[in-house]
Amino acid sequence: MINIQPRLPATTAKTVGELAFKYYKNTRQGVQKTNNVVYLQDFRSLLNSSDSDLYDALAGEEYRQRDGIELIPSENYTYPEVLVLLGSVFTNKYSEGYPGRRYYGGQEFSDIIESLAIERAMNLFKAGHANVQPLSGSVMNQAVYFGLLEPGDKVLAMELSHGGHLTHGAPASCMGKIFDFKRYRTDPKDGSIDFDEVRKQARRHKPKLILCGYSSYPRDLDYAAFQSIADEVGALTMADISHFGGLVAGKVMNNPFDDGFDVVTTTSHKSLRGPRGGMILCKSKHAKAIDHAIFPGLQGGPHMNNVAAIAFTLKQAATAEFAQYSRQVLQNAKALAQALLEQGVKLVTGGTDNHLMVLDTMASFGLTGEDSQVLLDSIGITVNKQIIPDDPLPPLEASGVRLGTPAATTRGMREQDMRTIAGWIVRTLAHPGDIEMHQQFKLESETFCRNFHVPGGQDFKN
Ligand code: DSN
């Protein structure tokens, strides 16, 4: 249990429960009465009567998520408790500042949830400091640049089409205009990171920051190799583990802090399975700069409902069940990749060591990523189009699609299910004109999905 005393000197309460009880005449029954308040019990019927369009869209999305196979690697099904906290009165609260030093009153519970989230994040990722306020992955990465660099400073990051991310200084992003991003590329032979190339670019450009961690690179990373290049040229190190933060937490992928990284960023809604948002983890010496860059640098009031949901997510991510989930995500990805390879599909880097893979649909089936995405949508499999290294097509067409297993694994799908899914994918893309077959697959995949529970408490009756 968190020690609330240092941050709440005015209270005599020793636990969160005691603090809560004072609002309910010092009885636990009083606290439990909150379970009867209208927003928890009747909010759906309330929404239905006050805005039926939004109610219908919500219900439609619930059915879509139940009846389809979700393979977008950055999506997941979050916990029912996260949905409760996101829809809670914490959304009403302004809490600019940090625990114990805020600009508004009424912070006793906000301080508790944020302190819990910070401590859990630090323990889970072995970080010297954590900031849990970033509203998204984009602002999270911007805060690192603004916290540690001056405008115009050089950053060495991966080429976007080779696996990097827009927020890693793509020319279209504001970051690309403010900081001077230089690029390393993957090895053209096998698509893996070429450390000779990283070292060459680092020696040439002398960047202030070297960045790794990607959104479409299907391998684990050698952080020690990045750190040694950074040490040689006097650069700071940053890993954006947004995609595989859950797998690092579950200890099935490498942790950049084990090799001395300065900063690690991760979103909370992908493999970590929490609410949408971001976290910046860093060595304690960077704490002040990072916190200042988030508030007042880039953000105002943190979304305390989200911070509460992140705190919950981090507690779950430290459990043995979550470690087992993480292992299964990797096993499912391997099984899916293997089944696709056996059926002649070309995968970027030839396979996967993490939760995702990139199918070269142009080389495998003569189809753009966009066409493949639409075809797979028609049979109830959701993926996203994806550019491949040095893709001649623009991102809205792309030459590939990206698949991942975090969401399917949360629903309880296992290796044999991945083989079934691979069969549907390959036959659909190999026969793009066979509408009758696609309709048959849509029925089959929908029936298949009924075998797998959707977390979040949607008890569908039909
Ligand atoms: N959109 C997320 C992804 O799919 O990788 C990150 O930006």
Side-chain angles (χ1 to χ4, degrees), residues 15 32 36 79 135 172 197 207 223 229 251 274 287 316 339 356 378 412 447 457 461:
T15 66
Q32 283 169 346
N36 296 330
Y79 303 91
L135 303 178
E197 154 82 356
Y223 298 107
I229 293 171
K251 300 188 173 47
Q316 303 312 308
L356 69 81
S378 79
T447 309
K461 302 231 164 16

Side-chain angles (χ1 to χ4, degrees), residues 72 74 165 215 243 270 402:
I72 293 175
S74 47
H165 189 256
S215 55
H243 258 262
K270 298 185 174 95
R402 195 179 57 152

Side-chain angles (χ1 to χ4, degrees), residues 235-246:
L236 297 167
T237 40
M238 168 181 174
D240 176 353
I241 63 167
S242 290
H243 258 262
F244 43 92

Side-chain angles (χ1 to χ4, degrees), residues 141-189:
N141 284 344
Q142 287 178 58
V144 178
Y145 308 144
F146 281 112
L148 303 184
L149 310 173
E150 297 298 326
D153 275 351
K154 287 187 191 135
V155 183
L156 184 60
M158 168 94 95
E159 179 71 35
L160 179 66
S161 79
H162 290 227
H165 189 256
L166 276 175
T167 60
H168 300 175
S173 73
C174 292
M175 283 74 95
K177 294 180 175 66
I178 295 169
F179 301 98
D180 185 9
F181 280 83
K182 304 295 181 191
R183 301 282 160 203
Y184 55 90
R185 303 159 59 80
T186 50
D187 187 334
K189 286 198 302 295

Side-chain angles (χ1 to χ4, degrees), residues 361 367-375 385 396-398 400-401:
T361 53
L367 292 172
T368 64
E370 164 67 7
D371 288 343
S372 306
Q373 178 187 304
V374 171
L375 279 165
K385 54 185 163 270
L396 277 175
E397 286 179 66
V401 293

Side-chain angles (χ1 to χ4, degrees), residues 154 156 184 195 198-203 205-212 222-239 259-263 283:
K154 287 187 191 135
L156 184 60
Y184 55 90
F195 282 100
V198 179
R199 184 173 293 101
K200 192 172 101 190
Q201 297 302 338
R203 284 177 180 164
H205 297 297
K206 301 268 182 303
K208 192 155 173 203
L209 178 70
I210 294 182
L211 204 169
C212 65
D222 182 348
Y223 298 107
F226 278 108
Q227 188 63 50
S228 97
I229 293 171
D231 289 343
E232 184 189 324
V233 300
L236 297 167
T237 40
M238 168 181 174
D259 290 302
F261 263 53
D262 288 285
V263 183
K283 288 183 172 167

